[in-house]
Amino acid sequence: MAAYVPTPSPAATAGVPPGAGPAPYDPLFDPLVSPTGLGQDYAPTYWVASAGAPPPDDGPVRADMDVDVAIIGSGFTGLATALALARDHGVQAVVLEANRAAWGCTSRNGGQGQNASGRLYRSQWIARWGLETARRLDAEIREGFEYWKSLVGTIECDAQPGGHLYTAHRAKKMAFLENEARVMREQFGYDTRMLSREELHARYTADREAAGALLEPDGIGVHPLKLAYGYLRQARALGVRVHTASPVQGWDTVGGVHRLRTPGGEVRARRVAVATGGYTPQGLHPALSGRIMPILSNSMVTRVLTPAEREAAGLRSTVFITDTRTLRFYYRLLPDGRMQIGSRSAVSGADARHPRHLNLLREGLARKFPALRDVDIDYSWWGWVDVSHDMMPRIAQPDPSQHIYYACGYGGNGVSFSAAAGRRMAQRLMGQAGAHWDLPIYNSPLPGHVFAPFRRIGQALLYKWYYLRDEVI
């Protein structure tokens, strides 16, 4: 079956009356220029096709309401925040979602759950903040990863444990991986080790590009939408309300009360948590203006491979993999025998459907696994990743005088870290004290950037430089 890529529809962001069913999915949606959607259907991902029917939600907001906590966004972070508030603090939040539950990157990612946060490696943490702070940050991220694992253990989400492989896509990258493995062992106590090309091919995957790999023991591949549906079920069972097709179209604060205007009514909240990630709409709130760089990531999934095809390609493990490109490829063998691969994509939503982006993935798969060059692709999609200007996330209250909080900037590591971020954001909403609040991901807001209005021009130039650095220099 050929990859399904729908055509855009003018109705994709048009008003949808309550009960009219989902609006068409808009493949050209771009958070920097598009209006917020209203009840859009899911992107045509493998995860949507294989997750089963979505759990019930609470439908659109239909009247004005007063609430204690409103959460904007029903992806991993929003649902994890709502779940932690209900389970740990007895607070039943109201979640407002513009489209369908887990509509954004939560249903479009690669399902790679790493013991990581943001885009920086641990050696870069040391260089930026010093060893003591880096060790405390590592302990926080590690605790968060264990928390996420505890949630995964309660939900049927096709979990594939076994760790994570960083493959050196060129021989010159082995020194970088060797240094990172040494830092993780000696400074943070991880059981990381290096694999030669021969050992990688014999035990894990015969990636023809790879000169070797770093094996991290921590890592679980998951079906991300099944996991999100599990969060949704658990949260609603504890009294959380999740209102879909309810975008926040206006936000005023009067007398300490936040007035969130949706098509079906005004939600008046004492506290607001923003969990919109790479889909944060322009103008939602000044505290978020210019703070996130939304980056498109493409993904594709093959048809089910036969045992002979898997053997010919040297696919011997379901451990998920990332290579050392700046514009990295991430890939893995799925539980049903399909191969999934993703990488960075177009600069703008208007260019997202160009065939060259899918061809980039096809060629990437073929370079790594020549036996799969002509295999049919069953699913192809793209989604927006939230990258902060300093490459690290924030779970912050940007203005101490206002009860507004956000968690975002994961840079592609949100599958697992979003659970910890949601738990910490719930604690911040409740004013809970903690020694961890002085860590860099908590003690400052997301940084802005003087050239934020011109970010797309800079991104296009950077992509050209990254290609040269990754493939030529």
Side-chain angles (χ1 to χ4, degrees), residues 77 81 251 271-275 285 287-288 291-292 388 390 392-410 417 420-430 436-447:
T77 302
T81 302
W251 180 345
R271 290 168 282 183
V272 176
V274 181
H285 193 275
L288 285 156
R291 305 286 171 162
I292 287 293
S388 68
D390 68 352
M392 288 297 287
R394 294 296 193 284
I395 301 88
Q397 181 184 10
D399 183 347
S401 69
Q402 296 193 65
H403 290 295
I404 299 170
Y405 309 79
Y406 58 65
C408 53
Y410 308 146
F417 183 70
R423 181 176 65 156
R424 291 302 192 210
M425 187 150 69
Q427 293 169 352
R428 301 209 81 154
L429 282 156
M430 300 307 296
H436 44 266
W437 296 135
D438 67 347
L439 287 169
I441 59 176
Y442 301 124
N443 67 5
S444 64
L446 286 163

